[in-house]
Amino acid sequence: MATFLKTQLNSHAIESEESGNGEVEKNPSKTLSFPFWYCAETGIYSSKYPSIKLPEDPFLDVVSFIFSHKNGGVSALVDSTSGISISYSELYPMVKSMASGLHQRGVSKVDVVLILLPNSIYFPVILLGVLALGAIATTMNPFSNLLEIKKQALDCCVTLAFTSNDKVDKLSTLDIPVIGVPEILVSGLNCSESSVFYELISCDPNWDSRPKISQQDTAAILYSSGTTGVGKGVILTHGNFIAMVETFVRFEASQYEYSSSGNVYLDVTPMFHVYGLSLFVMGLLSLGTTIVVMRKFDADEMVKAIERYNVTHFPLVPPLLMALTRRAKDGASSSMKSLKQVSCGAAPVNPKSIEDFVHTLPDVDFIQGYGMTESTAIGTRGYNTEKLHNYSSVGLLAPNMQAKVVDWITGSTLAPNCMGELWLCGPGVMKGYLNNLEATKSTIDDNGYLHTGDIVYFDEEGYLYVIDRLKETIKYKGFQIAPADLEAVLVSHPDIIDAAVIGARDEEAGEIPVAFVVKRDGCAVSQTDVINFVTKQVAPFKKIRKVYFRASIPRSAAGKILRKELRNLLTSKL
């Protein structure tokens, strides 16, 4: 389908006429004309929006930047289950207290602090406290197993970890100081259970030893598979996050007539992921917006939270979109009357899911967006108006962003309505991959363009459409899974001599990991044996769902797995 689409799209790139002998010629009387946001000479697509002036002070940290914006916000973070909240008047002092407390415990600038937590009203307090100190935050899925945690902790030299109280003993085996974080801290009731955490947020916020922090200083190390290979540490700076807050979150808010401080956002998207972190841990807090935090997803609780807190905005991932639509179809639409907008990101969404949602909740604005960990979530964002509703596109380029669409075979740049690999350039592009110069050089070119690995095209109005991807990753419920990580686990099995993993389409999850395995001669290992072996070594969302046994794995002359052949093989089996 992708090849056919490329032919169809490219057929519109040049005006032509058929000559008398049946051949197609360029029509000299018709000249190509391109919109102002595309330069044919350089192949560069620019944002249709005016550039935004970013802060020039080189010694500005993202925490100070967030809280420098005065707003009329009252409740900042609300726990959806208990209703316990942190107000805006409490939030910044609490963040500064956390920084002060960490400083007193010996954490200093450039130390790396691991945050292994589910969504919590304390997550932003901890992460922003770490950044206010000049230390570096690294986040992980709380369902990660001990081997995965150990690998990341060693890779980025973690010196301290925050985790939920029930995981403290587990993490302590890694010989890293661990601080337990309660689900909800109620003064006088469970403070003794979390005395260290309580002490941290009770420290004097007006400490004098705060270090000087540069926009170029590393703020976070978030892990991503990138375009290929195993997970790598993405180095994001304070400047990257400042640009994200300004050109993604605050710019989007400026496009609507209603006041941001009156908005109520529901957070089900994981805060450890760049999508959730950008919105709920940083950007929205600069607007005075109320954030209702769900600790874990439950469809019934989601509906209750929307109604109880009059939620106006719900950023989500494709599986949650389907769950929301199902609940609305089942009669819960009356509980969703406060909703103004639902936005979807982190993974491709099925067109049928969009159609179902728009038909079921026609009064709720639906948009999509595109971003990567490597671009600090900055890329494109959809904006609907009274005259135009474009639900299938991931939107227009954000301010200050440029892009190229490049033929992945020839390397030539392509005009609107031509399909190729998306390259992005702008203030959100990462500093690089941690301790991996080769991967950095293969992902960011000498002109600063981030090679995304996603196959896209821009239409004649500047809207971006994502078609496919070159990169070897699996998108499961908005999470990114590196096939190479699972392949390494598979070949560690004594009865497996080779293996390859690809993503199989799944209506609810997006994609699920499927393994092709070559067994050692004479062994009796079964599909169940393989699945159980992998399950014990990876986080639940990464587990293999199906196994196919083969005599060999198709590879190129250079030894690279030919995943396209495996995808074709998988299609023939379905």
Side-chain angles (χ1 to χ4, degrees):
M1 184 181 76
T3 303
F4 172 76
L5 180 57
K6 184 180 180 183
T7 303
Q8 294 296 100
L9 292 172
N10 285 343
S11 69
H12 298 292
I14 299 176
E15 295 282 358
S16 61
E17 288 185 348
E18 190 173 55
S19 65
N21 60 9
E23 295 180 351
V24 176
E25 305 178 332
K26 293 182 182 178
N27 182 356
S29 65
K30 295 183 179 180
T31 58
L32 286 173
S33 61
F34 293 108
F36 72 91
W37 42 265
Y38 174 71
C39 176
E41 184 177 346
T42 62
I44 293 176
Y45 294 79
S46 298
S47 175
K48 295 177 72 173
Y49 298 103
S51 295
I52 292 175
K53 186 176 176 63
L54 297 175
E56 296 179 351
D57 181 0
F59 295 103
L60 177 65
D61 64 276
V62 67
V63 180
S64 298
F65 178 71
I66 289 170
F67 290 105
S68 68
H69 295 90
K70 305 304 179 184
N71 54 67
V74 180
S75 294
L77 298 152
V78 182
D79 180 75
S80 67
T81 304
S82 67
I84 291 176
S85 66
I86 299 173
S87 68
Y88 272 98
S89 61
E90 296 171 319
L91 181 58
Y92 195 23
M94 195 177 288
V95 167
K96 290 190 286 187
S97 292
M98 173 62 68
S100 175
L102 289 172
H103 174 71
Q104 291 178 27
R105 294 184 68 84
V107 178
S108 59
K109 188 176 179 182
V110 309
D111 280 343
V112 179
V113 177
L114 170 65
I115 303 175
L116 187 77
L117 286 172
N119 285 357
S120 161
I121 61 173
Y122 302 121
F123 196 116
V125 174
I126 296 167
L127 188 137
L128 295 177
V130 169
L131 269 54
L133 178 61
I136 301 165
T138 188
T139 62
M140 283 194 80
N141 189 325
F143 291 111
S144 301
N145 66 32
L146 199 58
L147 287 174
E148 292 170 318
I149 298 168
K150 182 177 181 180
K151 180 181 178 182
Q152 183 165 323
L154 289 173
D155 189 54
C156 58
C157 302
V158 167
T159 58
L160 177 70
F162 284 89
T163 193
S164 51
N165 282 331
D166 62 336
K167 289 187 171 68
V168 170
D169 291 341
K170 177 182 177 181
L171 254 68
S172 297
T173 62
L174 298 179
D175 199 28
I176 298 171
V178 182
I179 296 173
V181 181
E183 286 190 347
I184 291 295
L185 191 64
V186 181
S187 180
L189 294 180
N190 65 344
C191 292
S192 59
E193 299 176 10
S194 312
S195 57
V196 175
F197 182 78
Y198 181 74
E199 288 171 6
L200 286 173
I201 60 174
S202 301
C203 287
D204 181 5
N206 300 310
W207 55 298
D208 299 324
S209 305
R210 196 159 178 264
K212 183 173 285 191
I213 302 170
S214 164
Q215 286 201 43
Q216 297 306 308
D217 287 341
T218 301
I221 302 172
L222 306 181
Y223 279 72
S224 164
S225 315
T227 57
T228 183
V230 298
K232 298 174 283 293
V234 176
I235 302 173
L236 300 178
T237 67
H238 284 263
N240 289 147
F241 282 120
I242 289 170
M244 176 276 297
V245 172
E246 196 65 32
T247 65
F248 168 21
V249 184
R250 293 183 61 82
F251 172 74
E252 181 177 334
S254 73
Q255 300 302 293
Y256 303 108
E257 294 178 356
Y258 44 77
S259 169
S260 298
S261 60
N263 292 338
V264 180
Y265 276 69
L266 180 60
D267 174 24
V268 181
T269 305
M271 289 179 170
F272 65 79
H273 188 279
V274 71
Y275 182 25
L277 189 151
S278 297
L279 284 170
F280 304 114
V281 181
M282 293 189 177
L284 291 173
L285 296 176
S286 74
L287 294 168
T289 298
T290 296
I291 300 168
V292 177
V293 181
M294 286 188 69
R295 294 178 228 162
K296 59 181 179 180
F297 175 71
D298 178 275
D300 293 330
E301 292 301 315
M302 170 187 68
V303 174
K304 290 178 183 177
I306 292 172
E307 183 173 34
R308 179 182 179 185
Y309 298 103
N310 292 314
V311 170
T312 59
H313 291 67
F314 191 7
L316 40 65
V317 293
L320 297 185
L321 179 69
M322 295 174 65
L324 186 68
T325 305
R326 281 197 297 267
R327 285 300 184 274
K329 284 183 175 181
D330 292 341
S333 58
S334 61
S335 300
M336 304 176 187
K337 58 182 180 293
S338 62
L339 276 179
K340 293 181 180 179
Q341 185 187 81
V342 165
S343 54
C344 197
V349 58
N350 189 307
K352 178 65 165 56
S353 297
I354 299 174
E355 183 182 339
D356 284 350
F357 175 83
V358 172
H359 178 74
T360 306
L361 292 168
D363 295 328
V364 181
D365 184 29
F366 175 81
I367 63 171
Q368 294 190 68
Y370 175 91
M372 300 175 68
T373 305
E374 288 86 346
S375 70
T376 326
I378 307 174
T380 63
R381 196 72 168 167
Y383 303 103
N384 291 322
T385 66
E386 290 184 2
K387 296 181 180 179
L388 177 64
H389 290 79
N390 194 334
Y391 300 124
S392 58
S393 167
V394 295
L396 301 167
L397 278 173
N400 301 35
M401 291 298 291
Q402 293 184 327
K404 293 181 181 180
V405 178
V406 179
D407 187 300
W408 57 91
I409 297 173
T410 67
S412 60
T413 57
L414 301 172
N417 282 329
C418 296
M419 187 173 67
E421 183 187 1
L422 176 67
W423 293 4
L424 287 174
C425 184
V429 172
M430 66 175 178
K431 197 172 186 177
Y433 289 119
L434 179 68
N435 301 325
N436 199 330
L437 184 60
E438 182 180 350
T440 300
K441 285 185 173 181
S442 67
T443 304
I444 303 175
D445 63 31
D446 292 341
N447 295 315
Y449 278 86
L450 171 67
H451 298 197
T452 71
D454 285 313
I455 306 305
V456 306
Y457 73 93
F458 286 93
D459 70 10
E460 60 278 356
E461 298 295 329
Y463 284 87
L464 182 69
Y465 297 81
V466 180
I467 304 302
D468 203 347
R469 67 179 180 275
L470 294 171
K471 58 185 179 184
E472 300 169 3
T473 58
I474 299 167
K475 290 291 185 71
Y476 175 81
K477 293 188 176 181
F479 298 121
Q480 192 172 227
I481 300 170
D485 287 342
L486 293 174
E487 288 156 2
V489 174
L490 284 164
V491 297
S492 70
H493 190 290
D495 292 327
I496 295 176
I497 59 174
D498 200 3
V501 174
I502 63 171
R505 290 291 181 186
D506 181 85
E507 183 178 352
E508 184 172 343
E511 291 181 314
I512 55 173
V514 172
F516 291 85
V517 169
V518 179
K519 297 190 287 188
R520 194 174 300 281
D521 288 342
C523 79
V525 65
S526 67
Q527 171 176 269
T528 301
D529 295 333
V530 173
I531 290 174
N532 290 341
F533 177 77
V534 175
T535 299
K536 292 176 182 178
Q537 301 184 63
V538 300
F541 72 93
K542 293 182 182 178
K543 67 181 182 181
I544 299 292
R545 264 54 176 198
K546 196 168 184 62
V547 177
Y548 294 100
F549 293 102
R550 288 180 51 81
S552 64
I553 300 297
R555 293 179 180 273
S556 68
K560 186 177 178 64
I561 295 172
L562 300 176
R563 299 184 196 275
K564 183 177 179 180
E565 290 190 19
L566 293 176
R567 282 192 283 271
N568 292 338
L569 182 63
L570 183 63
T571 302
S572 69
K573 291 179 178 292
L574 297 177

